[in-house]
Each structure stands twice: as structure tokens, then as C-alpha cells.
Short mmCIF file of all heavy atoms in Angstrom, two decimals:
data_model
loop_
_atom_site.label_atom_id
_atom_site.label_comp_id
_atom_site.label_asym_id
_atom_site.label_seq_id
_atom_site.Cartn_x
_atom_site.Cartn_y
_atom_site.Cartn_z
N SER S 1 -8.52 -4.57 5.97
CA SER S 1 -7.82 -3.60 5.12
C SER S 1 -8.74 -3.17 3.96
O SER S 1 -9.61 -3.83 3.66
CB SER S 1 -6.49 -4.28 4.62
OG SER S 1 -6.77 -5.35 3.64
N ILE S 2 -8.23 -2.04 3.38
CA ILE S 2 -8.86 -1.62 2.06
C ILE S 2 -7.90 -1.86 0.97
O ILE S 2 -6.74 -1.31 1.08
CB ILE S 2 -9.29 -0.16 2.25
CG1 ILE S 2 -10.23 0.16 3.37
CG2 ILE S 2 -9.87 0.42 0.92
CD1 ILE S 2 -10.39 1.58 3.79
N ARG S 3 -8.18 -2.71 0.10
CA ARG S 3 -7.34 -3.03 -1.06
C ARG S 3 -7.67 -1.98 -2.31
O ARG S 3 -8.74 -1.84 -2.60
CB ARG S 3 -7.46 -4.40 -1.56
CG ARG S 3 -6.92 -5.38 -0.54
CD ARG S 3 -6.99 -6.74 -1.11
NE ARG S 3 -6.34 -7.77 -0.27
CZ ARG S 3 -6.11 -9.06 -0.50
NH1 ARG S 3 -6.63 -9.57 -1.65
NH2 ARG S 3 -5.55 -9.83 0.32
N ILE S 4 -6.58 -1.42 -2.74
CA ILE S 4 -6.66 -0.42 -3.82
C ILE S 4 -5.85 -0.92 -5.04
O ILE S 4 -4.66 -1.08 -5.00
CB ILE S 4 -6.20 1.00 -3.47
CG1 ILE S 4 -6.91 1.40 -2.13
CG2 ILE S 4 -6.41 1.93 -4.51
CD1 ILE S 4 -6.39 2.79 -1.67
N PRO S 5 -6.51 -1.38 -6.14
CA PRO S 5 -5.80 -1.92 -7.21
C PRO S 5 -5.03 -0.70 -7.98
O PRO S 5 -5.42 0.37 -8.02
CB PRO S 5 -6.99 -2.40 -8.26
CG PRO S 5 -8.16 -1.60 -7.80
CD PRO S 5 -8.03 -1.38 -6.37
N ILE S 6 -3.98 -1.15 -8.61
CA ILE S 6 -3.15 -0.29 -9.39
C ILE S 6 -3.53 -0.39 -10.90
O ILE S 6 -3.57 -1.54 -11.38
CB ILE S 6 -1.56 -0.62 -9.32
CG1 ILE S 6 -1.20 -0.65 -7.80
CG2 ILE S 6 -0.79 0.42 -10.01
CD1 ILE S 6 -1.51 0.55 -6.95
N LYS S 7 -3.81 0.67 -11.52
CA LYS S 7 -4.17 0.59 -13.02
C LYS S 7 -2.99 0.49 -13.90
O LYS S 7 -1.86 0.53 -13.46
CB LYS S 7 -4.99 1.92 -13.36
CG LYS S 7 -6.12 2.22 -12.55
CD LYS S 7 -6.78 3.47 -12.85
CE LYS S 7 -7.92 3.88 -12.00
NZ LYS S 7 -8.62 5.11 -12.22
N GLN S 8 -3.24 0.13 -15.15
CA GLN S 8 -2.02 -0.18 -16.02
C GLN S 8 -1.16 1.02 -16.27
O GLN S 8 0.00 0.66 -16.65
CB GLN S 8 -2.67 -0.80 -17.39
CG GLN S 8 -3.38 0.16 -18.24
CD GLN S 8 -3.89 -0.42 -19.50
OE1 GLN S 8 -3.89 -1.66 -19.62
NE2 GLN S 8 -4.14 0.36 -20.51
N ASP S 9 -1.61 2.09 -15.97
CA ASP S 9 -0.78 3.29 -16.14
C ASP S 9 0.07 3.68 -14.81
O ASP S 9 0.72 4.69 -14.64
CB ASP S 9 -1.44 4.58 -16.51
CG ASP S 9 -2.64 4.98 -15.68
OD1 ASP S 9 -2.81 4.27 -14.54
OD2 ASP S 9 -3.27 5.92 -16.07
N GLY S 10 -0.05 2.78 -13.82
CA GLY S 10 0.63 2.97 -12.59
C GLY S 10 -0.06 3.75 -11.66
O GLY S 10 0.46 4.00 -10.43
N MET S 11 -1.34 4.23 -11.88
CA MET S 11 -2.07 4.97 -10.97
C MET S 11 -3.04 4.24 -10.19
O MET S 11 -3.44 3.11 -10.47
CB MET S 11 -2.83 6.14 -11.82
CG MET S 11 -1.87 7.07 -12.61
SD MET S 11 -2.75 8.56 -13.23
CE MET S 11 -3.11 9.35 -11.71
N PHE S 12 -3.44 4.93 -8.99
CA PHE S 12 -4.46 4.29 -8.19
C PHE S 12 -5.36 5.42 -7.66
O PHE S 12 -4.98 6.48 -7.69
CB PHE S 12 -3.95 3.51 -7.05
CG PHE S 12 -3.06 4.36 -6.12
CD1 PHE S 12 -3.58 5.01 -5.03
CD2 PHE S 12 -1.64 4.41 -6.13
CE1 PHE S 12 -2.87 5.81 -4.15
CE2 PHE S 12 -0.82 5.18 -5.28
CZ PHE S 12 -1.58 5.93 -4.34
N SER S 13 -6.58 5.10 -7.25
CA SER S 13 -7.54 5.98 -6.72
C SER S 13 -8.51 5.30 -5.88
O SER S 13 -8.89 4.13 -6.11
CB SER S 13 -8.34 6.86 -7.90
OG SER S 13 -9.02 6.09 -8.61
N ALA S 14 -9.07 5.97 -4.82
CA ALA S 14 -10.07 5.43 -3.89
C ALA S 14 -10.81 6.52 -3.27
O ALA S 14 -10.15 7.46 -2.94
CB ALA S 14 -9.50 4.42 -2.92
N LEU S 15 -12.09 6.38 -2.94
CA LEU S 15 -12.92 7.27 -2.13
C LEU S 15 -12.81 6.81 -0.71
O LEU S 15 -13.29 5.68 -0.39
CB LEU S 15 -14.32 7.39 -2.77
CG LEU S 15 -14.44 8.27 -3.99
CD1 LEU S 15 -15.91 8.21 -4.39
CD2 LEU S 15 -13.90 9.72 -3.77
N LEU S 16 -12.51 7.72 0.27
CA LEU S 16 -12.25 7.22 1.52
C LEU S 16 -12.89 8.22 2.61
O LEU S 16 -13.09 9.34 2.24
CB LEU S 16 -10.77 6.97 1.87
CG LEU S 16 -9.96 6.07 1.02
CD1 LEU S 16 -8.50 6.25 1.34
CD2 LEU S 16 -10.37 4.64 1.18
N PHE S 17 -12.98 7.79 3.76
CA PHE S 17 -13.40 8.71 4.84
C PHE S 17 -12.12 9.31 5.43
O PHE S 17 -11.04 8.70 5.35
CB PHE S 17 -14.10 7.90 6.02
CG PHE S 17 -15.45 7.43 5.73
CD1 PHE S 17 -15.62 6.08 5.55
CD2 PHE S 17 -16.59 8.22 5.53
CE1 PHE S 17 -16.87 5.56 5.23
CE2 PHE S 17 -17.77 7.74 5.26
CZ PHE S 17 -17.96 6.34 5.07
N ASP S 18 -12.21 10.53 5.84
CA ASP S 18 -11.06 11.20 6.59
C ASP S 18 -10.58 10.39 7.68
O ASP S 18 -11.46 9.71 8.37
CB ASP S 18 -11.36 12.61 6.82
CG ASP S 18 -11.55 13.60 5.66
OD1 ASP S 18 -11.13 13.20 4.65
OD2 ASP S 18 -11.97 14.76 6.01
N GLY S 19 -9.38 10.43 7.92
CA GLY S 19 -8.81 9.65 9.09
C GLY S 19 -7.37 9.18 8.84
O GLY S 19 -6.73 9.60 7.91
N GLU S 20 -6.82 8.54 9.86
CA GLU S 20 -5.36 8.06 9.78
C GLU S 20 -5.44 6.61 9.33
O GLU S 20 -6.12 5.78 9.92
CB GLU S 20 -4.78 8.16 11.25
CG GLU S 20 -4.78 9.69 11.69
CD GLU S 20 -3.86 9.70 13.04
OE1 GLU S 20 -3.34 8.70 13.41
OE2 GLU S 20 -3.95 10.77 13.60
N TYR S 21 -4.54 6.49 8.30
CA TYR S 21 -4.45 5.15 7.64
C TYR S 21 -2.84 4.73 7.75
O TYR S 21 -1.93 5.47 7.81
CB TYR S 21 -4.86 5.10 6.30
CG TYR S 21 -6.32 5.39 6.12
CD1 TYR S 21 -6.87 6.80 6.06
CD2 TYR S 21 -7.25 4.27 5.88
CE1 TYR S 21 -8.17 6.97 5.88
CE2 TYR S 21 -8.55 4.56 5.83
CZ TYR S 21 -9.08 5.91 5.73
OH TYR S 21 -10.37 6.17 5.59
N LYS S 22 -2.69 3.41 7.75
CA LYS S 22 -1.37 2.86 7.43
C LYS S 22 -1.30 2.22 6.00
O LYS S 22 -2.15 1.34 5.82
CB LYS S 22 -1.07 1.79 8.55
CG LYS S 22 0.33 1.22 8.43
CD LYS S 22 0.61 0.30 9.68
CE LYS S 22 -0.19 -1.00 9.46
NZ LYS S 22 0.16 -2.08 10.46
N LEU S 23 -0.36 2.56 5.25
CA LEU S 23 -0.28 2.15 3.83
C LEU S 23 0.86 1.16 3.74
O LEU S 23 1.86 1.44 4.18
CB LEU S 23 -0.06 3.30 2.88
CG LEU S 23 -0.03 2.91 1.45
CD1 LEU S 23 -0.50 4.19 0.64
CD2 LEU S 23 1.32 2.52 0.96
N ILE S 24 0.53 -0.01 3.15
CA ILE S 24 1.67 -1.05 2.90
C ILE S 24 1.47 -1.65 1.48
O ILE S 24 0.39 -1.54 0.92
CB ILE S 24 1.65 -2.19 3.96
CG1 ILE S 24 0.27 -3.04 3.65
CG2 ILE S 24 1.76 -1.61 5.43
CD1 ILE S 24 0.32 -4.37 4.50
N VAL S 25 2.48 -2.22 1.00
CA VAL S 25 2.46 -2.95 -0.12
C VAL S 25 2.72 -4.42 0.28
O VAL S 25 3.74 -4.77 0.74
CB VAL S 25 3.55 -2.55 -1.23
CG1 VAL S 25 3.48 -3.53 -2.41
CG2 VAL S 25 3.41 -1.17 -1.58
N PRO S 26 1.72 -5.33 0.22
CA PRO S 26 1.83 -6.68 0.77
C PRO S 26 3.02 -7.37 0.10
O PRO S 26 3.28 -7.05 -0.97
CB PRO S 26 0.52 -7.26 0.55
CG PRO S 26 -0.43 -6.20 0.38
CD PRO S 26 0.36 -5.12 -0.29
N ASN S 27 3.65 -8.38 0.85
CA ASN S 27 4.60 -9.14 0.27
C ASN S 27 4.11 -9.85 -1.02
O ASN S 27 2.98 -10.36 -1.04
CB ASN S 27 5.11 -10.32 1.24
CG ASN S 27 5.97 -9.67 2.42
OD1 ASN S 27 6.51 -8.67 2.17
ND2 ASN S 27 5.92 -10.26 3.61
N GLY S 28 4.90 -9.95 -2.02
CA GLY S 28 4.56 -10.63 -3.26
C GLY S 28 3.91 -9.78 -4.23
O GLY S 28 3.53 -10.21 -5.34
N GLN S 29 3.60 -8.50 -3.96
CA GLN S 29 2.86 -7.66 -4.81
C GLN S 29 3.78 -6.82 -5.66
O GLN S 29 4.72 -6.07 -5.15
CB GLN S 29 1.99 -6.80 -4.03
CG GLN S 29 0.60 -7.47 -3.51
CD GLN S 29 -0.27 -7.85 -4.66
OE1 GLN S 29 -0.72 -7.06 -5.52
NE2 GLN S 29 -0.69 -9.03 -4.59
N GLY S 30 3.68 -6.91 -6.97
CA GLY S 30 4.38 -5.97 -7.85
C GLY S 30 5.71 -6.50 -8.41
O GLY S 30 6.28 -7.18 -7.67
N PRO S 31 6.21 -5.98 -9.54
CA PRO S 31 7.50 -6.33 -10.10
C PRO S 31 8.61 -5.44 -9.41
O PRO S 31 9.44 -4.91 -10.21
CB PRO S 31 7.25 -6.13 -11.62
CG PRO S 31 6.30 -5.00 -11.51
CD PRO S 31 5.45 -5.15 -10.40
N PHE S 32 8.60 -5.20 -8.19
CA PHE S 32 9.45 -4.32 -7.56
C PHE S 32 9.68 -4.83 -6.07
O PHE S 32 9.03 -5.72 -5.54
CB PHE S 32 8.93 -2.88 -7.60
CG PHE S 32 7.54 -2.75 -6.98
CD1 PHE S 32 7.24 -2.82 -5.82
CD2 PHE S 32 6.49 -2.69 -8.03
CE1 PHE S 32 5.96 -2.69 -5.26
CE2 PHE S 32 5.12 -2.65 -7.57
CZ PHE S 32 4.88 -2.61 -6.22
N MET S 33 10.67 -4.11 -5.43
CA MET S 33 10.92 -4.42 -3.96
C MET S 33 10.38 -3.15 -3.19
O MET S 33 10.41 -2.01 -3.61
CB MET S 33 12.38 -4.39 -3.68
CG MET S 33 13.01 -5.75 -4.13
SD MET S 33 14.80 -5.82 -3.71
CE MET S 33 14.64 -6.08 -1.95
N TRP S 34 9.71 -3.64 -2.07
CA TRP S 34 9.16 -2.58 -1.13
C TRP S 34 9.92 -2.71 0.19
O TRP S 34 10.37 -3.79 0.48
CB TRP S 34 7.66 -2.87 -0.95
CG TRP S 34 6.90 -2.10 0.02
CD1 TRP S 34 6.50 -2.51 1.23
CD2 TRP S 34 6.71 -0.66 0.01
NE1 TRP S 34 5.89 -1.47 1.97
CE2 TRP S 34 5.99 -0.30 1.34
CE3 TRP S 34 6.91 0.37 -0.79
CZ2 TRP S 34 5.60 0.93 1.57
CZ3 TRP S 34 6.46 1.69 -0.54
CH2 TRP S 34 5.83 1.83 0.63
N LYS S 35 9.97 -1.63 0.92
CA LYS S 35 10.67 -1.59 2.12
C LYS S 35 10.10 -2.67 3.16
O LYS S 35 8.89 -2.83 3.21
CB LYS S 35 10.62 -0.25 2.80
CG LYS S 35 11.26 0.95 1.91
CD LYS S 35 10.94 2.24 2.49
CE LYS S 35 9.51 2.66 2.57
NZ LYS S 35 9.19 3.91 3.07
N LYS S 36 10.94 -3.35 3.91
CA LYS S 36 10.54 -4.25 4.87
C LYS S 36 11.10 -3.96 6.25
O LYS S 36 12.12 -3.28 6.31
CB LYS S 36 10.98 -5.72 4.54
CG LYS S 36 10.25 -6.18 3.20
CD LYS S 36 10.54 -7.65 2.87
CE LYS S 36 9.85 -8.12 1.76
NZ LYS S 36 10.04 -9.48 1.35
N THR S 37 10.43 -4.47 7.27
CA THR S 37 10.96 -4.28 8.63
C THR S 37 12.05 -5.29 8.93
O THR S 37 12.38 -6.17 8.22
CB THR S 37 9.76 -4.35 9.61
OG1 THR S 37 9.32 -5.79 9.58
CG2 THR S 37 8.60 -3.47 9.37
N ALA S 38 12.53 -5.27 10.16
CA ALA S 38 13.52 -6.13 10.61
C ALA S 38 13.13 -7.71 10.64
O ALA S 38 13.84 -8.65 10.56
CB ALA S 38 14.14 -5.72 11.95
N ILE S 39 11.74 -7.80 10.76
CA ILE S 39 11.27 -9.19 10.81
C ILE S 39 10.57 -9.59 9.51
O ILE S 39 9.78 -10.59 9.46
CB ILE S 39 10.23 -9.32 12.01
CG1 ILE S 39 9.14 -8.26 11.85
CG2 ILE S 39 10.84 -9.11 13.33
CD1 ILE S 39 7.98 -8.51 12.79
N ASN S 40 11.01 -8.86 8.43
CA ASN S 40 10.63 -9.24 7.03
C ASN S 40 9.18 -8.99 6.71
O ASN S 40 8.65 -9.69 5.86
CB ASN S 40 10.96 -10.63 6.74
CG ASN S 40 11.26 -10.92 5.21
OD1 ASN S 40 11.80 -10.02 4.51
ND2 ASN S 40 10.79 -12.08 4.65
N THR S 41 8.54 -8.16 7.52
CA THR S 41 7.11 -7.80 7.18
C THR S 41 7.08 -6.44 6.41
O THR S 41 8.08 -5.69 6.46
CB THR S 41 6.25 -7.61 8.51
OG1 THR S 41 6.80 -6.59 9.32
CG2 THR S 41 6.12 -8.94 9.19
N PRO S 42 6.08 -6.13 5.62
CA PRO S 42 6.13 -4.94 4.91
C PRO S 42 6.15 -3.72 5.74
O PRO S 42 5.52 -3.64 6.73
CB PRO S 42 4.74 -4.91 4.07
CG PRO S 42 4.38 -6.42 3.99
CD PRO S 42 4.87 -7.07 5.29
N ASP S 43 7.08 -2.75 5.38
CA ASP S 43 7.07 -1.58 6.16
C ASP S 43 5.87 -0.67 5.81
O ASP S 43 5.12 -1.06 4.79
CB ASP S 43 8.34 -0.71 5.78
CG ASP S 43 8.73 0.24 6.77
OD1 ASP S 43 7.93 0.43 7.76
OD2 ASP S 43 9.90 0.82 6.76
N SER S 44 5.61 0.38 6.48
CA SER S 44 4.42 1.18 6.30
C SER S 44 4.59 2.68 6.16
O SER S 44 5.60 3.17 6.64
CB SER S 44 3.32 0.90 7.39
OG SER S 44 3.89 1.34 8.61
N LEU S 45 3.68 3.32 5.43
CA LEU S 45 3.67 4.72 5.35
C LEU S 45 2.44 5.19 6.12
O LEU S 45 1.33 4.58 6.08
CB LEU S 45 3.64 5.18 3.93
CG LEU S 45 4.86 4.88 3.10
CD1 LEU S 45 4.62 5.38 1.66
CD2 LEU S 45 6.12 5.61 3.62
N SER S 46 2.51 6.34 6.82
CA SER S 46 1.40 6.89 7.51
C SER S 46 0.60 7.89 6.54
O SER S 46 1.29 8.68 5.89
CB SER S 46 1.76 7.72 8.70
OG SER S 46 2.28 6.79 9.72
N VAL S 47 -0.69 7.78 6.41
CA VAL S 47 -1.51 8.61 5.58
C VAL S 47 -2.57 9.34 6.51
O VAL S 47 -3.47 8.61 7.05
CB VAL S 47 -2.14 7.88 4.44
CG1 VAL S 47 -3.14 8.78 3.65
CG2 VAL S 47 -1.09 7.23 3.57
#
């Protein structure tokens, strides 16, 4: 995976190659809830 840190203003940025990616927020990350699948793994967004 490629880990992208979140800055203190809530923003993130990364230089990447063009292509198809799957974006997730790993379990235990952040002071918030992220969508999960039926088997309690992080849901994903397509980029």
C-alpha cells in the first residue's frame, strides 16, 4: 500500500502514477468512523 499522512488542517497530498487505486481508511485510524464491510474490514473507494 501507499500510506498518505493527513496534515493538521485535514488535508492530504501525494504524487502518484496514473492508474486505478483502491482507497481505504485502516481500522483504528482517525477520531471518526469509516465505512466497513459485512466482515468488519474497511470499505473502499475507487480512485
